[in-house]
Amino acid sequence: MSSKGAFRQKQPDSVLEKLGPGLITGAADDDPSGIATYSQGSAQFGYSLLWTLFLTYPLMVGIQVVSARIGRVSGYGLAGNIRRHYPRAVLYALVSLLLVANTINIGADLVAMADSTALLLGGPRHAYIVGFGLVCVVLQVYISYARYVRVLKWLTLSLFAYVGVAFTVDLPWAQVIKETAIPVLSMSPEYLTTVVAILGTTISPYLFFWQASQECEDLHAVKAEKPLRKRPDQAARQLARIRIDTYIGMGFSNLIAFFIMLTTAATLHAHGVTDIQTSAEAAEALRPIAGEFAFLLFGMGIIGTGLLAIPVLAGSAAFAVAESFRWRRGLDLSPVRGARFYGVIAAATMIGVGLGFTHLDPIKALFFAAVINGVISAPIMAVMMHMSGDPKIMGQFVVTRRLKILGWSATTVMALAVVAMFVQIAH
């Protein structure tokens, strides 16, 4: 074992120590591209879209618990299980699309972070794009998994900036509660497309791959831990931890998204600003309406969540590719032993950096990534649900009836969202 991987975690005792893959996965869901989607939706439609986050929460919990259980029970991530139990054509198609979508998303997030930094500090945005990309790669390659997880946990605190922003503006709470509980729904193409976009940015394939892989990483980080199929005596404690971690992580994700939408509805929509194309535009638009402090908090949140999300995007792609080709993988590997694994992380991030130097429209790039994510989400979720009920993969730990209902409900909603998205594209 290299010195990079020599540090071993102790067993989690407190609730805070139990938070890991689920918390980081949930926080990474609110990346700069997600912030742009939430901001645009609430700027355009006000409080009438807040209800969507109460729909997505149970669906996110269901599918993310399934992905975490697959990793902890089998000892393999999603790509590893697809490789072992499904046709190679399915594996290569899904992983290729995941890699393309994640790389485009990385590029769009880097641009948003650079634009926000330029707004806050001034200076050349291209230098910030390169700097942020290098920082994300170095953290993943040269910091051990245990310490790296701590860094990511601390970065989740940056998302509280959006809670802070909400309390710097006057909020009509009676109207907020009324429109959240009894929303004014619309069948307009713009409204339906925005609902689909919120679903797509909230329930994304890279989150499934990341959380399953991080459960496998935890197995390597703690010597006594084994896949539950081999050590069923560990099941009660580990499955309880997964539930706590995922319920809190997804709750945190949706809470932050709620406050982003709440803030932009109370400020931008209320003042007639209805066309926000990027998260940096949302931050800039807040300045004359909500004041300098709100602008600073919003902009800093974009940078913090980008630093959290980009490693998750690049890491989930690297785990998927490495498992597909049976390469050594893991954030505890030395740079030499994990050269191919880290090479995928570096390549995805640096291609994302390169996209920031092109004339590629970031909104079109995000839309293209969202289309790919939407297309591959439903089949990946269907495969995951099939895995979770297969005794050859899960042994005695096939999912419960309640979790099966939640998981298949999420899969059905995403499939309907994809159909709705293609109908809107066709028109």
Side-chain angles (χ1 to χ4, degrees):
M1 175 68 69
S2 69
S3 59
K4 187 175 186 287
F7 183 87
R8 294 289 175 185
Q9 292 175 313
K10 68 185 184 65
Q11 294 297 327
D13 298 315
S14 68
V15 171
L16 286 177
E17 287 178 309
K18 290 177 182 177
L19 300 181
L23 175 66
I24 294 165
T25 301
D29 195 31
D30 295 318
D31 69 326
S33 60
I35 293 168
T37 301
Y38 299 135
S39 299
Q40 171 62 22
S42 52
Q44 191 171 3
F45 297 105
Y47 306 115
S48 66
L49 284 173
L50 291 173
W51 66 271
T52 58
L53 299 173
F54 292 91
L55 170 67
T56 58
Y57 176 65
L59 302 182
M60 285 179 73
V61 166
I63 203 67
Q64 291 299 147
V65 167
V66 167
S67 66
R69 285 176 66 118
I70 290 171
R72 177 62 64 165
V73 170
S74 69
Y76 293 92
L78 296 186
N81 275 302
I82 295 172
R83 174 179 55 78
R84 297 173 76 232
H85 300 284
Y86 296 87
R88 291 299 171 91
V90 173
L91 171 68
Y92 296 148
L94 294 179
V95 170
S96 296
L97 289 170
L98 176 77
L99 186 58
V100 170
N102 284 14
T103 301
I104 294 171
N105 215 328
I106 288 169
D109 284 354
L110 285 168
V111 168
M113 294 162 67
D115 286 344
S116 293
T117 306
L119 283 174
L120 293 171
L121 303 177
R125 65 192 288 274
H126 285 155
Y128 294 134
I129 291 172
V130 174
F132 284 132
L134 290 175
V135 166
C136 291
V137 172
V138 168
L139 284 176
Q140 288 185 284
V141 175
Y142 291 103
I143 295 182
S144 71
Y145 173 72
R147 292 183 177 88
Y148 183 64
V149 167
R150 289 178 185 171
V151 171
L152 293 181
K153 280 187 182 180
W154 279 108
L155 280 173
T156 64
L157 296 177
S158 66
L159 292 175
F160 281 108
Y162 297 108
V163 180
V165 172
F167 289 101
T168 65
V169 298
D170 293 326
L171 290 168
W173 284 107
Q175 183 184 355
V176 170
I177 293 169
K178 178 184 176 183
E179 292 195 33
T180 303
I182 312 172
V184 179
L185 302 178
S186 169
M187 293 303 291
S188 71
E190 294 80 11
Y191 187 89
L192 291 175
T193 301
T194 305
V195 170
V196 171
I198 290 172
L199 286 172
T201 200
T202 305
I203 305 173
S204 298
Y206 74 88
L207 302 176
F208 318 151
F209 280 87
W210 175 261
Q211 190 160 354
S213 296
Q214 293 316 287
E215 288 295 334
C216 297
E217 283 287 272
D218 280 353
L219 290 173
H220 299 301
V222 182
K223 219 172 206 177
E225 299 294 342
K226 302 293 179 187
L228 298 186
R229 287 201 62 176
K230 296 180 179 178
R231 289 291 303 273
D233 56 297
Q234 297 177 354
R237 175 171 54 84
Q238 291 298 339
L239 295 181
R241 177 194 57 75
I242 285 172
R243 284 194 298 272
I244 293 169
D245 187 23
T246 306
Y247 273 75
I248 293 176
M250 300 309 117
F252 181 58
S253 171
N254 278 33
L255 176 70
I256 299 303
F258 183 88
F259 274 101
I260 293 168
M261 295 180 73
L262 183 64
T263 298
T264 48
T267 53
L268 307 185
H269 179 79
H271 288 80
V273 181
T274 60
D275 187 20
I276 295 297
Q277 296 297 309
T278 68
S279 51
E281 274 187 31
E284 178 66 13
L286 277 175
R287 180 183 269 169
I289 297 170
E292 195 72 22
F293 186 59
F295 160 72
L296 287 171
L297 283 177
F298 204 95
M300 289 167 62
I302 292 168
I303 297 166
T305 190
L307 288 170
L308 174 65
I310 289 172
V312 173
L313 285 158
S316 63
F319 277 108
V321 172
E323 284 198 313
S324 298
F325 295 103
R326 305 182 74 173
W327 296 346
R328 287 195 186 99
R329 59 196 176 275
L331 295 168
D332 265 344
L333 291 172
S334 68
V336 173
R337 285 173 55 80
R340 289 184 291 190
F341 172 77
Y342 292 127
V344 177
I345 289 175
T349 307
M350 290 302 107
I351 292 172
V353 168
L355 291 175
F357 284 79
T358 68
H359 296 293
L360 183 67
D361 184 334
I363 300 306
K364 289 182 179 177
L366 282 177
F367 180 76
F368 182 56
V371 169
I372 296 175
N373 279 330
V375 170
I376 66 176
S377 282
I380 289 175
M381 292 163 76
V383 169
M384 286 168 56
M385 292 310 301
H386 183 264
M387 284 182 194
S388 67
D390 187 348
K392 288 188 293 186
I393 298 172
M394 302 295 288
Q396 62 183 295
F397 300 109
V398 293
V399 293
T400 61
R401 184 167 178 241
R402 186 170 74 92
L403 194 53
K404 189 177 292 186
I405 290 171
L406 262 182
W408 279 114
S409 297
T411 305
T412 302
V413 168
M414 283 305 301
L416 292 174
V418 170
V419 172
M421 180 175 62
F422 277 120
V423 169
Q424 294 304 322
I425 292 171
H427 287 81

